[in-house]
Protein backbone atom coordinates (compact mmCIF):
# COMPACT_ATOMS: atom_id res chain seq x y z
CA UNK A 1 0.00 0.00 0.00
CA UNK A 2 2.84 2.41 0.82
CA UNK A 3 5.08 1.52 -2.11
CA UNK A 4 3.68 4.33 -4.26
CA UNK A 5 2.62 6.64 -1.43
CA UNK A 6 5.79 8.48 -0.37
CA UNK A 7 4.01 11.29 1.47
CA UNK A 8 1.93 8.89 3.54
CA UNK A 9 5.10 6.97 4.33
CA UNK A 10 6.84 10.17 5.43
CA UNK A 11 3.86 11.22 7.56
CA UNK A 12 3.77 7.85 9.30
CA UNK A 13 7.50 8.07 10.06
CA UNK A 14 7.20 11.58 11.50
CA UNK A 15 4.07 10.83 13.51
CA UNK A 16 5.52 7.63 14.98
CA UNK A 17 8.82 9.25 15.94
CA UNK A 18 7.36 12.47 17.38
CA UNK A 19 4.54 10.71 19.27
CA UNK A 20 6.91 8.20 20.86
CA UNK A 21 9.39 10.97 21.72
CA UNK A 22 6.57 13.03 23.23
CA UNK A 23 5.57 10.11 25.42
CA UNK A 24 9.14 9.40 26.54
CA UNK A 25 10.05 13.02 27.25
CA UNK A 26 6.66 14.22 28.43
CA UNK A 27 8.14 15.80 31.56
CA UNK A 28 10.16 18.13 29.36
CA UNK A 29 6.99 19.59 27.83
CA UNK A 30 4.90 22.35 29.29
CA UNK A 31 2.59 21.21 32.09
CA UNK A 32 -0.45 22.43 30.11
CA UNK A 33 -1.53 19.49 28.03
CA UNK A 34 -2.96 21.16 24.93
CA UNK A 35 -2.39 24.41 23.10
CA UNK A 36 -5.30 26.86 23.29
CA UNK A 37 -6.41 29.40 20.68
CA UNK A 38 -6.44 32.20 23.25
CA UNK A 39 -2.77 31.43 23.97
CA UNK A 40 -1.98 32.28 20.36
CA UNK A 41 -4.20 35.36 20.49
CA UNK A 42 -2.30 36.57 23.56
CA UNK A 43 1.14 35.57 22.24
CA UNK A 44 1.26 35.63 18.42
CA UNK A 45 4.94 34.65 18.58
CA UNK A 46 3.76 31.14 19.53
CA UNK A 47 1.99 30.68 16.20
CA UNK A 48 4.83 28.46 14.96
CA UNK A 49 3.45 25.71 17.22
CA UNK A 50 0.50 25.35 14.84
CA UNK A 51 2.83 23.94 12.20
CA UNK A 52 4.10 21.09 14.38
CA UNK A 53 0.73 20.33 15.98
CA UNK A 54 -0.48 17.85 13.30
CA UNK A 55 2.59 15.63 13.65
CA UNK A 56 2.27 14.24 17.16
CA UNK A 57 -0.39 12.40 19.13
CA UNK A 58 -1.07 12.32 22.84
CA UNK A 59 -1.92 8.68 23.55
CA UNK A 60 -1.16 5.18 22.36
CA UNK A 61 -4.77 4.66 21.31
CA UNK A 62 -4.75 7.76 19.11
CA UNK A 63 -1.46 6.67 17.57
CA UNK A 64 -2.75 3.18 16.78
CA UNK A 65 -6.01 4.28 15.18
CA UNK A 66 -4.40 7.17 13.27
CA UNK A 67 -1.68 4.96 11.78
CA UNK A 68 -4.27 2.40 10.67
CA UNK A 69 -6.52 5.05 9.09
CA UNK A 70 -3.67 6.83 7.29
CA UNK A 71 -2.51 3.48 5.95
CA UNK A 72 -5.97 2.66 4.58
CA UNK A 73 -6.56 6.17 3.26
CA UNK A 74 -3.29 6.10 1.31
CA UNK A 75 -5.53 4.91 -1.52
CA UNK A 76 -6.14 8.61 -2.24
CA UNK A 77 -2.45 9.31 -2.73
CA UNK A 78 -2.37 6.39 -5.19
CA UNK A 79 -5.40 7.74 -7.02
CA UNK A 80 -4.64 11.48 -6.99
CA UNK A 81 -0.87 11.50 -7.02
CA UNK A 82 1.35 12.90 -4.30
CA UNK A 83 1.13 16.53 -5.48
CA UNK A 84 -2.66 16.71 -5.23
CA UNK A 85 -2.68 14.67 -2.01
CA UNK A 86 -0.23 17.10 -0.39
CA UNK A 87 -2.26 20.11 -1.52
CA UNK A 88 -5.45 18.55 -0.17
CA UNK A 89 -3.77 17.94 3.19
CA UNK A 90 -2.53 21.53 3.47
CA UNK A 91 -5.83 23.06 2.40
CA UNK A 92 -7.90 20.84 4.69
CA UNK A 93 -5.60 21.75 7.59
CA UNK A 94 -6.05 25.47 6.90
CA UNK A 95 -9.82 25.16 6.48
CA UNK A 96 -10.10 23.11 9.67
CA UNK A 97 -8.24 25.80 11.62
CA UNK A 98 -10.46 28.49 10.08
CA UNK A 99 -13.61 26.57 11.05
CA UNK A 100 -12.38 26.17 14.63
CA UNK A 101 -11.34 29.82 14.88
CA UNK A 102 -14.76 30.88 13.63
CA UNK A 103 -16.53 28.70 16.18
CA UNK A 104 -14.19 29.92 18.92
CA UNK A 105 -15.39 33.48 18.37
CA UNK A 106 -18.90 32.22 19.17
CA UNK A 107 -17.97 30.15 22.23
CA UNK A 108 -14.40 30.41 23.46
CA UNK A 109 -14.84 27.77 26.17
CA UNK A 110 -16.02 24.98 23.84
CA UNK A 111 -13.74 25.43 20.85
CA UNK A 112 -10.46 26.73 22.31
CA UNK A 113 -8.48 23.46 22.46
CA UNK A 114 -6.11 22.77 19.56
CA UNK A 115 -5.89 19.00 19.63
CA UNK A 116 -2.52 17.58 18.50
CA UNK A 117 -2.61 15.13 15.62
CA UNK A 118 -3.49 14.93 11.91
CA UNK A 119 -7.23 15.06 12.55
CA UNK A 120 -7.88 17.48 9.69
CA UNK A 121 -6.24 15.18 7.15
CA UNK A 122 -7.72 11.94 8.48
CA UNK A 123 -11.32 13.12 8.72
CA UNK A 124 -11.33 15.22 5.56
CA UNK A 125 -10.10 12.13 3.71
CA UNK A 126 -12.76 10.10 5.53
CA UNK A 127 -15.43 12.31 3.96
CA UNK A 128 -13.98 11.61 0.52
CA UNK A 129 -13.80 7.92 1.42
CA UNK A 130 -17.47 8.00 2.38
CA UNK A 131 -18.69 9.57 -0.86
CA UNK A 132 -16.15 8.37 -3.45
CA UNK A 133 -15.00 4.84 -2.58
CA UNK A 134 -17.62 2.20 -3.42
CA UNK A 135 -17.88 -0.92 -1.25
CA UNK A 136 -16.31 -4.03 -2.76
CA UNK A 137 -18.22 -6.64 -0.78
CA UNK A 138 -21.40 -6.66 1.29
CA UNK A 139 -22.45 -9.02 4.05
CA UNK A 140 -25.99 -9.36 5.35
CA UNK A 141 -26.07 -9.18 9.16
CA UNK A 142 -29.48 -9.31 10.77
CA UNK A 143 -31.10 -8.13 7.58
CA UNK A 144 -28.73 -5.16 7.28
CA UNK A 145 -26.21 -4.97 4.42
CA UNK A 146 -22.74 -4.27 5.85
CA UNK A 147 -19.68 -3.61 3.66
CA UNK A 148 -15.95 -3.83 4.39
CA UNK A 149 -15.97 -0.02 4.64
CA UNK A 150 -17.68 -0.40 8.00
CA UNK A 151 -14.34 -1.46 9.52
CA UNK A 152 -12.87 1.94 8.57
CA UNK A 153 -15.83 3.76 10.14
CA UNK A 154 -15.51 1.75 13.35
CA UNK A 155 -11.80 2.60 13.62
CA UNK A 156 -12.58 6.28 12.96
CA UNK A 157 -15.26 6.23 15.68
CA UNK A 158 -12.77 4.70 18.12
CA UNK A 159 -10.33 7.51 17.32
CA UNK A 160 -13.05 10.10 17.90
CA UNK A 161 -13.80 8.71 21.36
CA UNK A 162 -10.25 8.17 22.62
CA UNK A 163 -10.33 11.41 24.62
CA UNK A 164 -13.61 13.34 24.22
CA UNK A 165 -14.64 16.06 23.81
CA UNK A 166 -11.44 17.43 22.18
CA UNK A 167 -10.99 14.40 19.89
CA UNK A 168 -14.63 14.64 18.79
CA UNK A 169 -14.40 18.35 18.01
CA UNK A 170 -11.06 17.92 16.19
CA UNK A 171 -12.52 15.18 14.04
CA UNK A 172 -15.61 17.28 13.35
CA UNK A 173 -13.49 20.20 12.13
CA UNK A 174 -11.68 17.83 9.78
CA UNK A 175 -14.93 16.35 8.48
CA UNK A 176 -16.33 19.83 7.80
CA UNK A 177 -13.06 20.75 6.09
CA UNK A 178 -13.40 17.70 3.85
CA UNK A 179 -16.91 18.77 2.83
CA UNK A 180 -15.80 22.34 2.12
CA UNK A 181 -12.72 21.21 0.17
CA UNK A 182 -14.96 19.01 -1.98
CA UNK A 183 -17.46 21.78 -2.75
CA UNK A 184 -17.03 22.68 -6.45
CA UNK A 185 -18.01 26.33 -6.02
CA UNK A 186 -15.13 26.95 -3.60
CA UNK A 187 -12.59 25.46 -6.05
CA UNK A 188 -10.34 24.39 -3.17
CA UNK A 189 -9.78 21.03 -4.86
CA UNK A 190 -7.97 22.87 -7.67
CA UNK A 191 -5.13 24.00 -5.39
CA UNK A 192 -1.77 22.39 -6.15
CA UNK A 193 1.67 22.45 -4.57
CA UNK A 194 4.02 24.74 -6.59
CA UNK A 195 6.28 22.90 -9.03
CA UNK A 196 9.34 24.45 -7.40
CA UNK A 197 8.48 22.70 -4.13
CA UNK A 198 7.62 19.47 -5.97
CA UNK A 199 10.96 19.44 -7.78
CA UNK A 200 12.87 20.17 -4.57
CA UNK A 201 11.14 17.33 -2.69
CA UNK A 202 11.59 14.95 -5.61
CA UNK A 203 15.31 15.65 -5.70
CA UNK A 204 16.17 15.90 -2.00
CA UNK A 205 13.42 14.25 0.06
CA UNK A 206 12.12 11.38 -2.05
CA UNK A 207 15.47 9.51 -2.16
CA UNK A 208 15.42 9.38 1.64
CA UNK A 209 12.07 7.58 1.79
CA UNK A 210 12.08 5.52 -1.40
CA UNK A 211 11.03 1.92 -1.00
CA UNK A 212 13.90 -0.44 -0.34
CA UNK A 213 14.51 -3.68 1.47
CA UNK A 214 14.66 -1.92 4.83
CA UNK A 215 11.04 -0.82 4.43
CA UNK A 216 10.01 -4.40 5.11
CA UNK A 217 11.34 -4.09 8.66
CA UNK A 218 9.68 -0.72 9.26
CA UNK A 219 6.28 -1.02 7.54
CA UNK A 220 5.55 -4.75 7.50
CA UNK A 221 4.35 -4.68 11.16
CA UNK A 222 1.94 -1.87 10.24
CA UNK A 223 0.66 -3.81 7.24
CA UNK A 224 0.18 -6.95 9.32
CA UNK A 225 -1.66 -5.00 12.02
CA UNK A 226 -4.00 -3.38 9.50
CA UNK A 227 -4.69 -6.73 7.81
CA UNK A 228 -5.49 -8.41 11.11
CA UNK A 229 -7.84 -5.58 12.14
CA UNK A 230 -9.60 -5.68 8.77
CA UNK A 231 -10.02 -9.46 8.86
CA UNK A 232 -11.22 -9.32 12.42
CA UNK A 233 -13.91 -6.83 11.47
CA UNK A 234 -15.48 -8.99 8.79
Amino acid sequence: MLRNAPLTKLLLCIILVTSIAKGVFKDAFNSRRFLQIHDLAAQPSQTWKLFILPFSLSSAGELLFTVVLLYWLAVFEHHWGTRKYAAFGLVSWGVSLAVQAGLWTLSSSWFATLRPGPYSLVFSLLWRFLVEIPPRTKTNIGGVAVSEKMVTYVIAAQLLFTDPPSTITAGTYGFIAGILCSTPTLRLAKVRIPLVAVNFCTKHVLPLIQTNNQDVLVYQPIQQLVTEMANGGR
Side-chain angles (χ1 to χ4, degrees), residues 11-209:
L11 282 173
L12 288 175
C13 282
I14 294 173
I15 289 169
L16 285 167
V17 170
T18 55
S19 298
I20 293 172
K22 185 177 180 180
V24 172
F25 302 106
K26 59 183 178 180
D27 292 336
F29 289 84
N30 193 293
S31 58
R32 174 176 284 180
R33 189 177 180 190
F34 300 129
L35 188 65
Q36 307 288 313
I37 291 182
H38 50 73
D39 295 335
L40 301 180
Q43 295 181 302
S45 60
Q46 300 296 310
T47 303
W48 63 270
K49 293 181 180 180
L50 286 176
F51 297 95
I52 63 172
L53 205 66
F55 301 110
S56 67
L57 291 154
S58 301
S59 68
E62 282 183 284
L63 181 60
L64 171 65
F65 300 136
T66 299
V67 166
V68 171
L69 288 169
L70 284 175
Y71 182 91
W72 275 337
L73 295 171
V75 64
F76 288 102
E77 186 173 1
H78 285 273
H79 179 64
W80 292 341
T82 300
R83 186 185 181 195
K84 180 178 177 179
Y85 182 85
F88 181 84
L90 286 173
V91 172
S92 63
W93 172 70
V95 172
S96 177
L97 284 176
V99 169
Q100 182 173 2
L103 292 172
W104 175 72
T105 62
L106 301 177
S107 177
S108 58
S109 60
W110 272 92
F111 305 106
T113 301
L114 292 161
R115 182 82 192 189
Y119 283 87
S120 60
L121 176 62
V122 169
F123 285 93
S124 60
L125 286 175
L126 192 67
W127 164 255
R128 302 295 290 262
F129 181 82
L130 175 66
V131 299
E132 294 183 12
I133 304 297
R136 290 178 296 177
T137 59
K138 288 188 177 181
T139 303
N140 195 301
I141 300 179
V144 179
V146 178
S147 73
E148 82 287 348
K149 292 178 66 176
M150 186 61 65
V151 180
T152 304
Y153 302 142
V154 170
I155 298 297
Q158 289 178 302
L159 176 58
L160 279 179
F161 287 95
T162 49
D163 188 18
S166 61
T167 48
I168 295 176
T169 53
T172 303
Y173 306 144
F175 205 73
I176 294 172
I179 295 173
L180 294 175
C181 290
S182 304
T183 303
T185 54
L186 297 179
R187 301 182 64 83
L188 295 176
K190 300 293 184 181
V191 176
R192 294 292 183 272
I193 301 296
L195 284 175
V196 173
V198 173
N199 293 335
F200 176 85
C201 292
T202 300
K203 183 178 180 180
H204 299 287
V205 180
L206 185 60
L208 301 177
I209 57 174

